[in-house]
Amino acid sequence: MQQLLKEVAQDDSITVVFRAQCQSVKPDSERGVQVEMCDSDGSVTTLSAQLVVGADGQSSKVREALSKEGLFAAWARHAHSRFNLRQFETPSTGLRIKTLQIEPNFTIPVGDGTVLPLDSTANYALESVNKGSTNRVVLAVLPARDPSAIRPTAICTLPNHDVWKIDKGTEMKAWFQAAFPRFDFDGREGCLVAEEEWQRFAESKGARFPLCQYSPGAATSDGDAGVVLVGDALHTFPPDLGQGVNAALADVVALDSCLRREPLLGRALDAYQADRGPETKALVKLARVGAPYQYQQASRILTIRRYLWSFNILLRITLNKLTLGLTPQPGVMQMMDSQLSFKTIMQSADRLTAALWTVTAAAVGLLVKGLC
């Protein structure tokens, strides 16, 4: 955000408005598109533009306007149904998450009575002694560049977990003491969590992982004016892949490329739609199957599904090695290659899926035939 504001400040033609909310977006017969926004004092301001970029998140008012039947009917090339959301639940949808601020340079008690000093460059997963679906918790401590910085640790659980039933700091501290008996949460030297942090953590409502959703429509225009979606307004998914910000930046890069390449706005937005439409669909599909079980969701059915997912990943890795790369790696691994588009990744994954199902069906058919 600081970089964005720095760049904006260098252009006198740009006006930045803070603490205002978009109220509506509609066609403007004279200037193309009209945007109404409500300021922090309740006053409404109307702006007109040739191009509106909707970067207003998963509950986008811009996308909502584009999906309304009849609102942009005057635009002959506009199809409101393209902007109706496609939504999908995944195994991580609905998980609740909040952050526990862990003190820097704490020590980790070892079973033999010694302690292990914290290495700020290493990953740590501190497992609780609780293993049930409503009381198991893992403190995942990620590397930090500054060893003296607070270590925010995400607590990610099913919605019915014990940590969401406690709203008092003293009770939360006692719960974690029972879950991690090796740690002395009352001690001050090498303390894992500051005393005042317990109340803040207990009161925090955290957040929920969203549905996987996307808009098939990425842009629309009447030739001389247009509206385009980027980021969460176009696609939203749980943080399983770690690609939310990357995908949003990719949208911006693609939009910039199309606007520079095509002299006419309508053609530029058509090019953006052709590029981001298939890419967005593939991205959300990958988000649904990529790594949705990494949070160790503790329920019987999810555990079974996690084992099946793991088997599928191992099968694809094994086939990739046995065929010397003829069959693709799992999509979640191909994603590490910045030269591959999400569309390319999912096309190769889908081809292998179809081949595996064909081989399985043929094998079952032969087995049935042999039994008969």
Side-chain angles (χ1 to χ4, degrees):
M1 294 302 296
Q2 290 176 343
Q3 183 63 30
L4 173 64
L5 293 175
K6 179 181 177 181
E7 295 294 326
V8 165
Q10 298 177 14
D11 191 330
D12 294 334
S13 66
I14 298 176
T15 301
V16 181
V17 180
F18 293 100
R19 292 178 292 278
Q21 292 186 332
C22 174
Q23 296 296 301
S24 68
V25 178
K26 55 187 177 183
D28 184 331
S29 58
E30 294 184 1
R31 293 194 172 182
V33 188
Q34 186 181 93
V35 179
E36 286 187 353
M37 64 180 185
C38 182
D39 299 330
S40 56
D41 60 2
S43 60
V44 176
T45 302
T46 301
L47 302 174
S48 295
Q50 184 183 14
L51 175 63
V52 170
V53 179
D56 51 339
Q58 66 180 32
S59 300
S60 171
K61 287 282 188 180
V62 178
R63 185 191 63 236
E64 180 183 314
L66 295 176
S67 67
K68 289 182 178 178
E69 186 174 0
L71 183 58
F72 281 82
W75 288 16
R77 303 165 65 185
H78 179 75
H80 72 89
S81 60
R82 284 197 311 159
F83 295 91
N84 291 331
L85 283 175
R86 307 290 193 269
Q87 295 181 316
F88 311 90
E89 283 195 13
T90 76
S92 61
T93 296
L95 291 179
R96 297 186 67 177
I97 184 171
K98 61 179 174 177
T99 301
L100 182 66
Q101 304 287 347
I102 293 182
E103 293 293 293
N105 302 318
F106 63 88
T107 56
I108 302 174
V110 184
D112 59 5
T114 61
V115 295
L116 179 68
L118 184 74
D119 179 358
S120 64
T121 65
N123 283 305
Y124 294 88
L126 308 178
E127 288 263 6
S128 68
V129 295
N130 306 330
K131 303 302 178 185
S133 62
T134 62
N135 62 9
R136 179 180 182 272
V137 70
V138 177
L139 300 180
V141 184
L142 301 178
R145 180 175 298 178
D146 181 1
S148 64
I150 289 291
R151 310 293 285 273
T153 302
I155 308 296
C156 182
T157 72
L158 291 169
N160 62 342
H161 196 278
D162 287 353
V163 297
W164 304 105
K165 304 170 186 175
I166 304 172
D167 58 7
K168 292 182 174 58
T170 53
E171 294 179 10
M172 186 67 76
K173 176 181 174 181
W175 189 93
F176 270 84
Q177 183 65 78
F180 297 91
R182 286 187 184 178
F183 286 95
D184 179 12
F185 288 106
D186 284 322
R188 300 308 302 171
E189 185 176 353
C191 183
L192 187 67
V193 180
E195 195 68 25
E196 60 275 12
E197 168 63 8
W198 290 116
Q199 186 61 36
R200 186 209 65 80
F201 179 74
E203 293 177 350
S204 172
K205 301 302 181 183
R208 290 180 184 265
F209 286 1
L211 293 165
C212 282
Q213 65 179 36
Y214 74 98
S215 168
T220 187
S221 77
D222 70 344
D224 298 323
V227 183
V228 62
L229 303 175
V230 299
D232 284 355
L234 180 59
H235 43 67
T236 310
F237 41 88
D240 308 344
L241 302 178
Q243 291 295 307
V245 174
N246 289 346
L249 292 176
D251 295 338
V252 174
V253 170
L255 177 59
D256 176 71
S257 175
C258 292
L259 290 173
R260 291 176 184 275
R261 186 172 67 247
E262 298 288 351
L264 300 178
L265 179 60
R267 291 176 58 181
L269 296 189
D270 286 346
Y272 178 79
Q273 172 66 52
D275 179 275
R276 303 322 287 170
E279 188 72 353
T280 296
K281 181 178 180 180
L283 166 62
V284 171
K285 187 171 185 179
L286 178 59
R288 293 160 57 191
V289 300
Y293 297 101
Q294 62 185 279
Y295 312 100
Q296 302 293 310
Q297 298 95 315
S299 78
R300 185 169 299 176
I301 184 62
L302 288 176
T303 299
I304 294 172
R305 291 171 64 182
R306 181 167 68 247
Y307 283 128
L308 292 174
W309 175 85
S310 300
F311 173 77
N312 178 47
I313 294 293
L314 289 174
L315 175 62
R316 291 170 187 259
I317 292 174
T318 302
L319 288 174
N320 175 260
K321 292 184 178 298
L322 291 177
T323 62
L324 302 179
L326 183 62
T327 62
Q329 292 181 318
V332 72
M333 296 178 65
Q334 291 188 67
M335 183 188 69
M336 305 302 174
D337 186 347
S338 62
Q339 302 302 310
L340 295 177
S341 68
F342 292 115
K343 178 183 175 182
T344 300
I345 291 171
M346 289 314 300
Q347 283 178 337
S348 64
D350 288 343
R351 283 194 295 268
L352 179 55
T353 299
L356 289 174
W357 277 115
T358 300
V359 171
T360 301
V364 171
L366 290 174
L367 178 61
V368 171
K369 185 177 180 180
L371 293 176
C372 293

